[in-house]
Amino acid sequence: MLDEMKKRVYEMNVELPRQGLVAMTSGNVSGRRPGDDRVVIKPSGMPYEEMGPEDMVVVDLQGEVLEGDKKPSSDTASHLYVYRQRQDVNGMVHTHSNYATSFAALGEPIPACLTQIADEFGGDIPVGPFVPIGEEDIGQAIVENIGDSPGILLKNHGVFTVGESPEAALKSAVMVEDAARTVHLAQTRGEPDRLPDEAIERAHRRYQEDYGQ
Amino acid sequence: MLDEMKKRVYEMNVELPRQGLVAMTSGNVSGRRPGDDRVVIKPSGMPYEEMGPEDMVVVDLQGEVLEGDKKPSSDTASHLYVYRQRQDVNGMVHTHSNYATSFAALGEPIPACLTQIADEFGGDIPVGPFVPIGEEDIGQAIVENIGDSPGILLKNHGVFTVGESPEAALKSAVMVEDAARTVHLAQTRGEPDRLPDEAIERAHRRYQEDYGQ
Amino acid sequence: MLDEMKKRVYEMNVELPRQGLVAMTSGNVSGRRPGDDRVVIKPSGMPYEEMGPEDMVVVDLQGEVLEGDKKPSSDTASHLYVYRQRQDVNGMVHTHSNYATSFAALGEPIPACLTQIADEFGGDIPVGPFVPIGEEDIGQAIVENIGDSPGILLKNHGVFTVGESPEAALKSAVMVEDAARTVHLAQTRGEPDRLPDEAIERAHRRYQEDYGQ
Amino acid sequence: MLDEMKKRVYEMNVELPRQGLVAMTSGNVSGRRPGDDRVVIKPSGMPYEEMGPEDMVVVDLQGEVLEGDKKPSSDTASHLYVYRQRQDVNGMVHTHSNYATSFAALGEPIPACLTQIADEFGGDIPVGPFVPIGEEDIGQAIVENIGDSPGILLKNHGVFTVGESPEAALKSAVMVEDAARTVHLAQTRGEPDRLPDEAIERAHRRYQEDYGQ
């Protein structure tokens, strides 16, 4: 069932340690086919180097396991909440990547002071409140606070990104960390100017419309 | 003698440079089988890339070498002190990993301001006093100050973690450094809020009971 | 057409992720043969690990695509502006490398407080204003502000380097980031002394004339 | 001539990029056999990935090239000054490793606030003045300021380490950077206590006498 999507979700999960976004078993990626009511997600607490595509768990939008002999990620209920509320979201990533999570620790957004942030996020990378892990509270906090951004920080916790595919959500997770790293470095020495709203909008539009093949 | 445990202790030792936790020959891992009165430990000052499982040294709980033609780690007496006092400990790791050791340098605990710290450590990662290397003073400082945490910092020195196995202690050593890195980054820009005790307890319980396979 | 230059430009493009200077698809390298009126440049937004030499795009100095089935980099107009104004430039690199871009975020030059900066750059690494991406504004800002330096920062954006070849521009891009890293670290703890002008000139001359084979 | 030493010096040179201590062609290692009046040193400005053992240059203590078709390192005169003054030194390393060089940029020693610094260096890692590159001034500054330490920083420049062999000098170069990294991190958040002299001496003696095989 969903072998192609399992392979893609697996590939994006193992990309997390390759990109330096996770330590040990932390972090997870999920995905669904557009319009489908099934979600493929990482098994809970499983080492990345021991996983294969066949270990990905298939659940329905209420969290019922449809296929897989592993327990799904402990963040599953929150992923599903987002998939139920956002038909445009077909991929999600969660990490504790260090630089971005340092903004989450302080409950601070990452300001749009770089063209790369304007390009990818279309504004500041927002931050939502602290909510407990395990049920769908995190999913609710994401939906309520993410706006049009593909990425959000949750206070005292970490990073969540969404996208039209697992690959798009993974790209945003990498770019959140890359932006956070540069802004952190700048903020330890001074206060970078935020780009004007008009420049942010123009850069974001150009990036969406003209960039890439 | 204890070939299986030698292999496991060797594997966790070479994981230290792979995880970026040590420079040159620093750091060490030991392990014992539950209920056994023999401990397997890294040889002193030996390069990780030159070691094999057969170089691991077997000692009894008083430090007598039972097997191995190498001198055991210079921290052996301290490892043994912990193993004698704590029947639940069957693996130990020592590193000077940079971010965590910067907290040790200042004699500061790592505060439980992130869900990942609550999950893994159940509270702040504590710090013990400076004590000299070579005899069992370090072991005593660990036992007196570690409480229920799997990890502790010793002032002006570094990181020590304990666990039910060498693999568990290694995981905690990675997670101490990962937590230290994020908290360091946050503290250079502001003061992160500690999580409420109740949230820490709930997160820690959930992580122990529900997380993983 | 220009197979040798395509191979060289491709090699320098894939050197960007190897050297840790870019995240995902960001960054680009271009090159031309001395005296030629054609430029070889990276395709827009293409993953480095999926590219081959045959994907490099050949454009004339007005931006007309002469060969290649990919769209050229969105920074092409700015590269071409520099090539038109500077006959001595036959290679260009653009990155958002983190440490250097943190200086760009603050609109600050990297001061010549290290012999390695004097050697490679002959003075402070300058910073130009923020200008929008997409047309040749960036190229103009580079030409107006770079002086004799092989590298420049543009405010709220990133790093641009030029050289007599793509390989030389790549080397400068690596050295900008390396210098930025050390100066950042020093500036978070104090204020490093700038080298005297006379020492900078002597070091730069020696490096140009005596260093290397 | 000196094929064994060329191989060892080559191996320690290529260890520099592997250990993350250098960017591009910067840095160098030299070595001599105890009692010999010939020194083997890296060729000037040659990429590490293009070098082989046969590219190492053999010079006498006055800098005359005895063997090799490459120009020796531009730091050769300074290496030779140290070898002439210090019979106990048979290996030297020079890097601009980032954390240690940030202390050099500020003209600050690295204080002995960690057991690993006491172990390896027997006290603070000292800093010497800024002196120009190219002649033997650097060698003089090293000999005058290094004392009993295996490593020293030179202001506005970088790191120099010495040892009884190229391998020992390389180890010290790695340990300088590792120590610098942790002390930098601590100093950005507070002021670490220096260890008492008596504790430093005891740790250093134990490390020299008991540590290792």
Side-chain angles (χ1 to χ4, degrees):
Chain A
M1 192 192 283
L2 294 172
D3 283 349
E4 169 73 12
M5 182 54 71
K6 280 184 194 165
K7 191 160 178 299
R8 289 170 58 194
V9 168
Y10 163 74
E11 286 293 346
M12 290 304 102
N13 270 294
V14 293
E15 196 68 15
L16 295 178
R18 276 188 212 133
Q19 294 279 352
L21 301 179
V22 296
M24 303 304 287
T25 62
S26 84
N28 48 66
V29 180
S30 68
R32 70 170 164 185
R33 298 189 310 186
D36 203 339
D37 55 1
R38 296 166 298 177
V39 168
V40 177
I41 193 163
K42 183 188 168 232
S44 179
M46 194 168 179
Y48 289 98
E49 64 277 15
E50 296 177 10
M51 280 185 340
E54 68 284 2
D55 294 312
M56 301 300 107
V57 186
V58 183
V59 295
D60 68 17
L61 288 176
Q62 281 66 47
E64 201 70 38
V65 174
L66 302 178
E67 195 181 67
D69 52 2
K70 300 285 190 304
K71 191 163 56 167
S73 166
S74 59
D75 292 317
T76 299
S78 284
H79 284 243
L80 296 178
Y81 183 90
V82 176
Y83 285 118
R84 288 200 305 271
Q85 303 295 319
R86 292 273 304 261
Q87 295 304 314
D88 60 317
V89 169
N90 290 303
M92 274 188 72
V93 173
H94 170 47
T95 80
H96 303 154
S97 66
N98 300 107
Y99 285 86
T101 301
S102 79
F103 285 85
L106 295 167
E108 291 179 356
I110 303 174
C113 59
L114 293 169
T115 54
Q116 69 192 86
I117 300 176
D119 285 353
E120 187 78 23
F121 299 95
D124 301 343
I125 302 172
V127 62
F130 168 71
V131 286
I133 303 174
E135 299 305 323
E136 66 187 32
D137 314 63
I138 286 174
Q140 291 181 29
I142 293 170
V143 169
E144 282 168 22
N145 294 281
I146 197 169
D148 294 331
S149 169
I152 186 170
L153 313 171
L154 290 193
K155 190 161 186 289
N156 299 118
H157 186 170
V159 180
F160 293 84
T161 59
V162 299
E164 60 178 18
S165 64
E167 292 81 6
L170 190 280
K171 186 190 177 195
S172 291
V174 173
M175 299 312 280
V176 170
E177 182 66 1
D178 190 58
R181 188 184 304 242
T182 298
V183 176
H184 163 80
L185 296 170
Q187 287 188 344
T188 56
R189 302 196 318 277
E191 197 49 56
D193 292 335
R194 195 174 180 277
L195 288 168
D197 283 339
E198 178 269 334
I200 293 171
E201 278 161 39
R202 187 168 42 173
H204 187 56
R205 199 166 50 239
R206 184 198 64 80
Y207 188 74
Q208 301 301 319
E209 292 172 4
D210 295 345
Y211 186 81
Q213 298 298 323
Chain B
M1 192 191 284
L2 295 172
D3 285 348
E4 169 72 12
M5 182 53 73
K6 280 184 194 165
K7 190 161 178 298
R8 288 171 57 193
V9 168
Y10 163 75
E11 287 293 345
M12 290 303 103
N13 270 294
V14 294
E15 196 67 15
L16 295 178
R18 276 188 212 133
Q19 294 279 352
L21 300 179
V22 296
M24 302 305 285
T25 63
S26 84
N28 49 66
V29 180
S30 69
R32 70 170 164 186
R33 297 190 309 187
D36 203 338
D37 55 1
R38 297 165 298 175
V39 168
V40 177
I41 193 163
K42 182 188 168 233
S44 178
M46 194 169 178
Y48 289 98
E49 64 278 14
E50 296 177 10
M51 280 185 340
E54 69 283 2
D55 294 312
M56 300 302 104
V57 186
V58 182
V59 296
D60 70 15
L61 288 175
Q62 282 66 49
E64 201 70 38
V65 173
L66 301 177
E67 195 182 67
D69 52 2
K70 300 286 189 305
K71 190 162 57 166
S73 165
S74 59
D75 292 316
T76 299
S78 284
H79 284 242
L80 296 178
Y81 184 90
V82 176
Y83 284 117
R84 289 199 306 271
Q85 304 294 318
R86 292 274 303 262
Q87 296 304 315
D88 59 318
V89 170
N90 290 304
M92 275 188 72
V93 173
H94 170 47
T95 79
H96 302 154
S97 66
N98 300 108
Y99 285 86
T101 301
S102 80
F103 285 84
L106 294 167
E108 291 180 357
I110 302 174
C113 59
L114 293 168
T115 53
Q116 69 192 87
I117 299 176
D119 285 352
E120 187 78 24
F121 299 95
D124 301 343
I125 302 172
V127 62
F130 169 71
V131 285
I133 303 174
E135 299 305 324
E136 65 189 30
D137 313 63
I138 286 173
Q140 291 180 29
I142 294 170
V143 169
E144 283 167 22
N145 293 281
I146 198 168
D148 294 330
S149 169
I152 185 171
L153 313 171
L154 290 192
K155 187 161 188 287
N156 300 118
H157 186 170
V159 180
F160 294 84
T161 60
V162 299
E164 61 179 16
S165 65
E167 293 81 5
L170 189 280
K171 186 190 177 194
S172 291
V174 173
M175 298 313 279
V176 170
E177 182 65 2
D178 190 57
R181 189 184 304 241
T182 298
V183 176
H184 163 81
L185 296 171
Q187 288 188 345
T188 56
R189 301 197 318 276
E191 197 48 57
D193 293 334
R194 195 173 179 279
L195 288 168
D197 283 338
E198 180 269 334
I200 293 171
E201 278 160 40
R202 186 169 43 173
H204 187 57
R205 200 168 48 240
R206 184 198 64 80
Y207 188 74
Q208 301 300 320
E209 293 172 4
D210 295 345
Y211 185 80
Q213 298 298 324
Chain C
M1 191 191 284
L2 295 171
D3 284 349
E4 169 72 13
M5 182 54 72
K6 280 185 196 166
K7 191 160 177 301
R8 290 169 58 193
V9 168
Y10 163 74
E11 286 294 346
M12 290 303 103
N13 269 294
V14 294
E15 197 66 16
L16 295 178
R18 276 189 212 133
Q19 294 278 351
L21 300 179
V22 295
M24 303 304 287
T25 62
S26 84
N28 47 66
V29 180
S30 68
R32 70 169 164 185
R33 298 189 309 186
D36 203 338
D37 55 1
R38 296 166 298 177
V39 168
V40 176
I41 193 163
K42 183 189 167 232
S44 178
M46 195 168 177
Y48 289 99
E49 64 277 15
E50 297 177 10
M51 278 184 342
E54 69 283 2
D55 294 311
M56 300 300 105
V57 185
V58 183
V59 294
D60 68 18
L61 288 175
Q62 281 66 45
E64 200 69 39
V65 174
L66 301 177
E67 195 181 68
D69 53 2
K70 300 286 190 304
K71 190 162 58 167
S73 165
S74 58
D75 292 317
T76 298
S78 283
H79 283 242
L80 296 178
Y81 183 90
V82 176
Y83 285 118
R84 288 198 306 271
Q85 303 294 318
R86 291 274 304 262
Q87 295 304 314
D88 59 319
V89 170
N90 290 303
M92 273 188 74
V93 173
H94 170 46
T95 80
H96 303 154
S97 65
N98 300 106
Y99 285 86
T101 301
S102 79
F103 285 85
L106 294 167
E108 291 179 356
I110 303 174
C113 58
L114 293 169
T115 54
Q116 69 193 86
I117 300 176
D119 285 353
E120 187 78 25
F121 299 96
D124 302 342
I125 303 172
V127 62
F130 169 71
V131 285
I133 303 173
E135 301 304 323
E136 66 187 32
D137 313 62
I138 286 174
Q140 291 181 29
I142 293 170
V143 169
E144 282 168 23
N145 293 281
I146 197 168
D148 293 331
S149 169
I152 185 171
L153 313 172
L154 290 193
K155 189 161 186 288
N156 299 118
H157 186 170
V159 180
F160 294 83
T161 60
V162 299
E164 60 179 18
S165 64
E167 292 80 7
L170 190 279
K171 187 189 177 195
S172 291
V174 174
M175 299 311 280
V176 170
E177 182 65 1
D178 191 57
R181 189 184 304 242
T182 299
V183 176
H184 162 80
L185 296 170
Q187 288 189 345
T188 57
R189 301 197 318 276
E191 196 49 56
D193 292 335
R194 194 172 179 281
L195 287 167
D197 283 339
E198 178 269 334
I200 294 171
E201 279 161 38
R202 187 168 44 173
H204 187 58
R205 198 166 51 240
R206 184 199 63 80
Y207 189 74
Q208 301 300 320
E209 294 172 3
D210 295 345
Y211 186 81
Q213 298 298 323
Chain D
M1 190 191 284
L2 294 172
D3 285 348
E4 168 72 12
M5 183 52 74
K6 280 185 195 165
K7 190 160 178 301
R8 288 171 59 194
V9 169
Y10 163 74
E11 287 293 346
M12 291 302 104
N13 270 294
V14 294
E15 196 67 14
L16 295 178
R18 276 188 213 134
Q19 294 278 352
L21 300 178
V22 295
M24 303 303 287
T25 62
S26 84
N28 48 66
V29 180
S30 68
R32 71 170 164 185
R33 297 189 311 187
D36 203 338
D37 54 2
R38 296 166 298 176
V39 168
V40 176
I41 193 164
K42 182 187 168 233
S44 178
M46 194 168 177
Y48 289 97
E49 64 277 14
E50 297 176 10
M51 279 186 340
E54 69 283 1
D55 294 310
M56 300 300 104
V57 185
V58 183
V59 295
D60 69 17
L61 288 175
Q62 281 66 47
E64 199 70 41
V65 173
L66 302 177
E67 195 182 68
D69 52 3
K70 300 286 188 307
K71 190 162 58 166
S73 165
S74 58
D75 292 316
T76 299
S78 283
H79 283 243
L80 296 177
Y81 183 90
V82 176
Y83 284 118
R84 289 198 306 270
Q85 303 295 318
R86 291 274 304 262
Q87 296 303 315
D88 59 319
V89 169
N90 290 304
M92 275 188 73
V93 174
H94 170 46
T95 80
H96 303 154
S97 65
N98 301 107
Y99 285 85
T101 301
S102 79
F103 285 85
L106 295 167
E108 290 179 358
I110 302 174
C113 59
L114 292 169
T115 53
Q116 70 192 85
I117 300 176
D119 285 353
E120 187 79 23
F121 299 95
D124 302 342
I125 302 172
V127 61
F130 169 70
V131 285
I133 303 173
E135 300 304 324
E136 66 187 33
D137 314 62
I138 286 173
Q140 291 181 30
I142 293 170
V143 169
E144 283 168 22
N145 294 281
I146 197 168
D148 293 330
S149 170
I152 186 171
L153 313 172
L154 290 192
K155 189 161 186 288
N156 300 117
H157 187 171
V159 180
F160 294 83
T161 60
V162 300
E164 61 179 16
S165 65
E167 293 81 6
L170 189 280
K171 186 189 177 195
S172 292
V174 173
M175 299 312 279
V176 170
E177 181 65 2
D178 191 56
R181 188 183 306 241
T182 299
V183 177
H184 163 80
L185 296 171
Q187 287 188 345
T188 56
R189 301 196 320 275
E191 196 49 56
D193 292 335
R194 195 173 179 279
L195 288 168
D197 283 339
E198 179 268 335
I200 294 171
E201 278 161 39
R202 187 168 43 173
H204 187 58
R205 199 167 50 240
R206 183 198 64 81
Y207 189 74
Q208 302 299 321
E209 292 172 5
D210 295 345
Y211 185 81
Q213 298 298 324

